[in-house]
Amino acid sequence: MARPTPLSGFPEWLPDGRIVEQHVLDTLRRTFELHGFAGIETRAVEPLDQLLRKGETSKEVYVLRRLQEEGEDGGKDSRLGLHFDLTVPFARYVLENAGHLAFPFQRYQIQKVWRGERPQDGRFREFVQADIDVVGAGDLPYHYEVDLPLVMAEALGALRGIGVPEVRILVNNRRVAEGFYRGIGLDDVEAVLRSIDKLDKIGPEKVAALLVAEAGATETQARACLDLAAISGSDATVIDRVRALAASHGVDSELMEQGLSELGQLIEAAAVRAPGVVVADLKIARGLDYYTGSVYETVLVGHEQLGSICSGGRYDTLASDGANTYPGVGLSIGVSRLVSRLISAGLVTATRSVPAAVLVAVANEDTRPASDAVATALRSRGIPVEVAPTAAKFGKQIKHADRRGIPFVWFPGADGPDQVKDIRSGEQVDADAATWAPSDEDRWPRVVPAAG
């Protein structure tokens, strides 16, 4: 068989990388559950017409062509695609199960998604996302737009101990943007938002040209949009600066004032509950059409070139069956993007790449049952154990443990007590499988900041 060629955009971690990923997932899950979010999982496929509701991302959908029942015509309405985020499937889940859910419904969801985009640093075609959302029936109080980014800040902050860089959550409010844009005479708000969303990628000059070409803006209107996008800060002066800019252009908008009031509440609450983490940034647009209120993007301080690792916002009409509407707010962490940076930048490491804390040596194959019995006794007490694969010389068995990062080797006693050796220090002591235990730090592999 020829040597296989890796597929670009489909990450596969080595065992120590998987330990890092699992630690991140466990930390996120634990934080979400501390805040009362219930875990769910949705199917991997959705009807293509539902996935295409997101507009310009339609070219990124992986379409399944061989899961149709016999006799189906294979038309667009019957085709299925792999979900490329967890928000659209969640909206469908809410509509299908509304009669069985208690609202407001808080859920977290950790699954793989698939997106047919060009692979690059931190961008994959198959990756893990971790989402939290709160959905209401008919209405959803604004305070959830404050609460959710702070939950996410707490979840990411819980990873600081292993070497995850500090995060900044950049926030804006769609009502501010829409009120301002309409106030200066631009009615194609979605086109403006899509253009502003590209600021970090293509720069202000090209965005200004896009605003003129695609949103119908004059050069003066385009400059006003860029001036709004340039406003940022972590205190209430941001609100004053937006009002001053609006006044200079003769903008008087109730919608903008509502958005500014909400943005101010978020900034004030964040200053108390997560000082320095949340920053108002008026260029945050989130180009997706369904966002209606607060929008969020999160960057790693010192790794801003990676782009946002966590984003989301308020949506009012995504989950609606015509008669009932379930507004929500949510954020999504690109777990694979985060883990890839932690590994590639050498920010974190695992203390070992295997679960086992102990290797039980085998003197010869006739005594393997005795070694197996020791392993069974240790495992019954929650200690992860391997038994040596062969009855080689003890020196080779110790080297085998060392290569795998296993800290202890257990020697069953033939005529005397068992002994256990810490192969890092060389200390060897008598031991009883019914009572001996490694330290808490050695029992399981840990994720720690990388040295240096």
Side-chain angles (χ1 to χ4, degrees):
M1 178 179 175
R3 186 180 182 86
T5 302
L7 286 176
S8 178
F10 294 84
E12 293 178 326
W13 312 124
L14 292 172
D16 52 352
R18 173 58 178 165
I19 289 172
V20 172
E21 181 184 54
Q22 196 62 55
H23 178 85
V24 170
L25 293 174
D26 289 344
T27 301
L28 296 177
R29 182 182 297 109
R30 184 166 56 250
T31 305
F32 298 158
E33 291 180 351
L34 281 173
H35 286 268
F37 289 82
I40 69 167
E41 184 168 303
T42 58
R43 65 199 186 207
V45 298
E46 297 290 337
L48 188 59
D49 61 337
Q50 293 299 306
L51 292 174
L52 297 188
R53 293 170 63 193
K54 275 187 138 180
E56 64 179 17
T57 56
S58 61
K59 63 181 179 294
E60 299 177 355
V61 177
Y62 279 104
V63 178
L64 302 183
R65 301 185 182 277
R66 301 184 66 86
L67 291 182
Q68 312 304 325
E69 298 293 338
E70 289 294 329
E72 287 190 350
D73 59 13
K76 180 178 178 180
D77 291 342
S78 65
R79 290 163 64 191
L80 301 175
L82 292 171
H83 59 223
F84 56 84
D85 76 353
L86 301 178
T87 306
V88 170
F90 177 56
R92 187 265 310 157
Y93 177 94
V94 168
L95 291 176
E96 287 187 5
N97 297 285
H100 305 284
L101 301 175
F103 294 97
F105 176 51
Q106 300 186 179
R107 85 81 167 86
Y108 75 87
Q109 190 170 348
I110 300 175
Q111 285 183 241
K112 284 192 174 182
V113 299
W114 295 266
R115 191 169 299 176
E117 61 182 359
R118 183 173 64 87
Q120 51 188 299
D121 183 25
R123 289 189 177 273
F124 303 106
R125 291 173 171 170
E126 177 183 72
F127 53 98
V128 176
Q129 282 193 183
D131 284 25
I132 54 171
D133 286 78
V134 179
V135 170
D139 64 352
L140 184 71
Y142 172 73
H143 70 81
Y144 286 111
E145 294 179 51
V146 177
D147 294 341
L148 260 72
L150 297 181
V151 172
M152 205 56 98
E154 182 178 327
L156 292 168
L159 294 167
R160 291 294 306 281
I162 66 166
V164 173
E166 190 176 353
V167 299
R168 289 284 182 275
I169 299 180
L170 312 177
V171 302
N172 194 6
N173 192 294
R174 277 288 187 92
R175 294 183 176 91
V176 175
E178 181 174 352
F180 183 86
Y181 299 152
R182 293 192 186 280
I184 62 173
L186 293 175
D187 292 326
D188 192 351
V189 173
E190 301 304 333
V192 178
L193 289 168
R194 285 193 297 270
S195 299
I196 294 296
D197 196 40
K198 298 174 182 176
L199 258 174
D200 287 338
K201 294 180 181 178
I202 64 176
E205 291 186 7
K206 291 183 179 180
V207 167
L210 277 179
L211 289 168
V212 172
E214 298 185 6
T218 65
E219 290 187 6
T220 299
Q221 289 170 325
R223 174 49 53 190
C225 293
L226 291 174
D227 287 343
L228 178 67
I231 295 174
S232 66
S234 57
D235 57 36
T237 60
V238 168
I239 309 302
D240 297 333
R241 291 163 61 193
V242 174
R243 286 187 175 129
L245 177 64
S248 72
H249 289 277
V251 175
D252 182 13
S253 167
E254 290 185 7
L255 183 63
M256 184 188 75
E257 282 300 321
Q258 179 187 354
L260 286 173
S261 175
E262 294 174 348
L263 184 60
Q265 290 180 55
L266 174 51
I267 294 301
E268 289 175 7
V272 174
R273 294 167 58 182
V277 174
V278 175
V279 175
D281 190 332
L282 276 295
K283 76 174 179 296
I284 301 303
R286 304 296 300 146
L288 304 175
D289 295 349
Y290 58 71
Y291 289 123
T292 55
S294 299
V295 287
Y296 321 98
E297 291 192 355
T298 304
V299 296
L300 295 175
V301 175
H303 300 264
E304 289 82 0
Q305 75 280 6
L306 184 64
S308 179
I309 62 162
C310 173
S311 58
R314 168 77 180 236
Y315 48 89
D316 285 318
T317 59
L318 182 64
S320 177
D321 58 9
N324 301 289
T325 299
Y326 302 90
V329 58
L331 288 99
S332 172
I333 294 181
V335 175
S336 298
R337 173 178 289 201
L338 174 60
V339 171
S340 73
R341 178 50 56 101
L342 296 179
I343 294 173
S344 65
L347 298 174
V348 304
T349 187
T351 54
R352 59 181 186 264
S353 61
V354 296
V358 181
L359 178 78
V360 181
V362 178
N364 57 68
E365 289 304 326
D366 290 339
T367 65
R368 181 173 290 276
S371 297
D372 289 337
V374 170
T376 299
L378 292 172
R379 289 170 187 147
S380 72
R381 298 173 44 241
I383 300 171
V385 178
E386 288 185 20
V387 177
T390 61
K393 292 181 179 180
F394 282 160
K396 288 187 176 180
Q397 295 187 52
I398 291 172
K399 287 182 179 179
H400 174 77
D402 187 44
R403 285 195 299 270
R404 296 169 67 75
I406 299 173
F408 297 98
V409 176
W410 189 286
F411 301 102
D415 301 315
D418 290 3
Q419 292 192 320
V420 64
K421 182 184 184 72
D422 184 335
I423 64 173
R424 299 162 300 183
S425 66
E427 181 183 12
Q428 186 166 325
V429 297
D430 291 350
D432 184 341
T435 58
W436 179 89
S439 68
D440 290 343
E441 288 192 346
D442 284 330
R443 185 180 292 257
W444 294 100
R446 293 177 295 115
V447 178
V448 296

